[in-house]
Amino acid sequence: MRAARLSVVTAVAAVTALTAVTGCTEKSDAKDGDRIINVTATDSACKTSKKEISAGHVELSIENKGSKVTEVYVLFPDDRVVTERENIGPGTKQRVTAEVKAGTYQIACKPGMKGTGIRQDLKVTGGSVAQRDPKLDKAVADYREYAQEQADATIPLVETFAKAIKAGDLEAAKKAYAPSRLGWERTEPIAESFGDIDPLTDTRADGLEDGQKWTGWHRLEKSLWEDKKIGDEEKTLADQLVTDLKDWQNRVGKAEITPTSMANGAKELLDEVATGKVTGEEDRYSHTDLSDFKANVEGAQKAYELLKPVAQTNDKALTTELDKQFAALNTLLDKYRTDKASYDFVSYDKVTEAQRKELSDAVNALAEPLSKLAAAVVK
């Protein structure tokens, strides 16, 4: 679930921790100031320093001068996501590196993290981006294969979940809920890049836009755990969830993937953990947050490991730190497993505030160096 689905009050609290570790990314890694687009976001405007740039790597230097938590996106004309940075707190700055080909795009700011955003056009000129290191081409190809494998593996699991709901078997449906989400959570940036699938499948009640019907996993989660009932509507919604996820499965192979989108996606997954799973907001009825948490970390680590051969050459100190922090976070998460051979974790409502703080600190310790990965792979 996109971290932007958080209520603004909760997000402001979560962003305080995030911005504490991302402030050090304000130093530009760009070698040429012409490759930087300054983005100034307020509650009512989205100002950009450039309307045109040549193809290649571009760095967005983002400052939120508004009073609301915001997001900034680079979008294709059909609203697919090139890159994004979520949960940018008031008065804070962040940087994000992206790769763009010739064409037309839009830069969008979303104050309050809802709606279609305030947009500025961006024209990218030039025939194509510079030739990549073959190792990065391999990383992209391998990640695309990984994303497809995760989508393919998800369908039978979500079909098991739907089958239990349609049979009216409350306990079987509860048991199937968390496993059905793992592949999605590992590769969520790919799903979110399409724009229209995530709202159908993974929106929470407080993330609904005006007039939006609530569908997907969390709508069913509420019925199973809080309402403790399965009716005709839930059975229909179970079928719809399968249909929507098969749409995702069929689209994964068409996703726009670049080395920088992989790196930024890894950081987004950590932000998802920090602003949803650690707070207990994500799976608020089932308290299966730690299963999603682990899947997010695994997805981020997969993207990192595929990019590591190049990142290690360009910035060995960074990869040494990332190895250390991934290991520390995984070790900490393993303390909460109830079955070492599976994805069964303790119910998150049993995790104390002190333990949540420990988890949050470990996530933040990883998120800080991970925010530098995109810049490291394009040096």
Side-chain angles (χ1 to χ4, degrees), residues 43 76 79 87 106 116 124 205 228 242-243 258 261 285 290:
D43 295 346
F76 289 104
D79 273 9
N87 295 297
Q106 287 187 319
T116 59
V124 179
K228 297 180 175 59
V242 173
T243 298
T258 65
S261 74
Y285 311 108
L290 286 173

Side-chain angles (χ1 to χ4, degrees), residues 161-162 164-166 168-178 217-231 234 285-286:
F161 177 53
I165 290 173
K166 292 173 71 176
D169 191 333
L170 194 71
E171 292 308 312
K174 285 182 176 180
K175 185 177 180 180
Y177 170 76
W217 270 301
H218 295 302
R219 165 64 179 80
L220 292 167
E221 178 200 6
K222 181 179 184 297
S223 291
L224 297 175
W225 273 273
E226 183 171 279
D227 303 334
K228 297 180 175 59
K229 70 177 184 67
I230 297 174
E234 284 73 29
Y285 311 108
S286 63

Side-chain angles (χ1 to χ4, degrees), residues 85-362:
R85 185 54 50 90
E86 301 176 350
N87 295 297
I88 305 169
T92 65
K93 300 178 181 179
Q94 292 200 30
R95 289 182 179 267
V96 58
T97 301
E99 183 177 316
V100 287
K101 299 177 182 179
T104 58
Y105 301 83
Q106 287 187 319
I107 295 176
C109 306
K110 292 189 180 182
M113 304 185 297
K114 285 194 174 186
T116 59
I118 305 163
R119 303 191 177 199
Q120 298 288 348
D121 291 332
L122 177 67
K123 180 180 179 181
V124 179
T125 61
S128 63
V129 297
Q131 186 174 359
R132 286 191 200 125
D133 183 326
K135 291 179 183 177
L136 292 177
D137 286 331
K138 185 178 188 306
V140 168
D142 288 349
Y143 186 72
R144 188 182 298 280
E145 181 178 352
Y146 170 74
Q148 189 66 62
E149 288 172 350
Q150 293 302 312
D152 292 346
T154 294
I155 300 306
L157 294 171
V158 81
E159 286 176 335
T160 297
F161 177 53
K163 183 178 178 180
I165 290 173
K166 292 173 71 176
D169 191 333
L170 194 71
E171 292 308 312
K174 285 182 176 180
K175 185 177 180 180
Y177 170 76
S180 76
R181 293 175 52 75
L182 294 174
W184 173 276
E185 292 292 335
R186 290 182 184 120
T187 60
E188 195 164 359
I190 295 289
E192 290 182 348
S193 73
F194 299 118
D196 58 341
I197 297 178
D198 181 78
L200 294 172
T201 59
D202 205 26
T203 300
R204 299 199 307 258
D206 53 2
L208 294 169
E209 303 286 353
D210 292 341
Q212 180 184 349
K213 181 181 178 181
W214 192 16
T215 60
W217 270 301
H218 295 302
R219 165 64 179 80
L220 292 167
E221 178 200 6
K222 181 179 184 297
S223 291
L224 297 175
W225 273 273
E226 183 171 279
D227 303 334
K228 297 180 175 59
K229 70 177 184 67
I230 297 174
D232 290 342
E233 183 178 5
E234 284 73 29
K235 293 176 183 180
T236 299
L237 289 172
D239 279 335
Q240 182 180 341
L241 179 62
V242 173
T243 298
D244 291 335
L245 289 171
K246 284 183 176 179
D247 182 23
W248 160 61
Q249 177 193 26
N250 291 333
R251 287 204 236 173
V252 166
K254 302 172 185 176
E256 191 79 17
I257 302 173
T258 65
T260 54
S261 74
M262 288 170 59
N264 290 329
K267 174 61 166 60
E268 289 161 25
L269 286 171
L270 263 291
D271 290 352
E272 290 254 343
V273 172
T275 59
K277 280 68 173 184
V278 168
T279 63
E281 292 287 306
E282 179 76 4
D283 297 300
R284 62 186 65 176
Y285 311 108
S286 63
H287 304 300
T288 56
D289 304 85
L290 286 173
S291 175
D292 283 3
F293 188 141
K294 179 64 173 178
N296 283 158
V297 173
E298 286 180 336
Q301 189 164 9
K302 180 66 175 183
Y304 161 62
E305 292 289 353
L306 291 174
L307 294 169
K308 183 178 174 180
V310 172
Q312 189 169 37
T313 298
N314 293 339
D315 193 339
K316 184 170 176 50
L318 177 64
T319 57
T320 298
E321 182 65 14
L322 284 169
D323 289 342
K324 173 185 172 182
Q325 297 302 337
F326 268 117
L329 181 54
N330 281 315
T331 297
L332 181 58
L333 273 173
D334 283 345
K335 289 170 53 178
Y336 297 93
R337 283 191 190 233
T338 56
D339 181 350
K340 299 299 183 184
S342 74
Y343 279 80
D344 292 335
F345 288 84
V346 300
S347 181
Y348 202 60
D349 59 337
K350 306 301 183 185
V351 179
T352 68
E353 288 301 316
Q355 290 171 326
R356 293 187 185 199
K357 175 65 165 55
E358 184 182 26
L359 286 165
S360 178
D361 289 346

